[in-house]
Amino acid sequence: MRKSRKRSFEELVLENKEQLLKDQEALERIEERWEQKMLKKLD
């Protein structure tokens, strides 16, 4: 039986990025949080 190859961190990041780009709702949540952080920095 062949041992399954562990994915590198870079591969996991790319996979996660691709999934997020397909998920419009998740993108909007991330954008909202980012905007809130930027507004807090301005205060």
Side-chain angles (χ1 to χ4, degrees):
M1 204 157 107
R2 206 171 109 187
K3 195 174 184 181
S4 61
R5 186 177 79 83
K6 290 188 179 183
R7 289 187 245 169
S8 71
F9 180 73
E10 291 83 12
E11 288 173 321
L12 291 172
V13 169
L14 280 174
E15 185 180 316
N16 194 22
K17 182 179 176 183
E18 288 172 7
Q19 287 177 352
L20 282 173
L21 288 174
K22 290 177 187 171
D23 186 352
Q24 195 62 35
E25 192 175 311
L27 273 178
E28 289 171 8
R29 287 195 307 265
I30 291 167
E31 210 172 272
E32 183 75 27
R33 281 188 293 195
W34 184 80
E35 286 175 359
Q36 288 174 0
K37 281 185 180 182
M38 292 298 113
L39 290 173
K40 282 183 182 179
K41 285 184 178 184
L42 291 174
D43 288 341

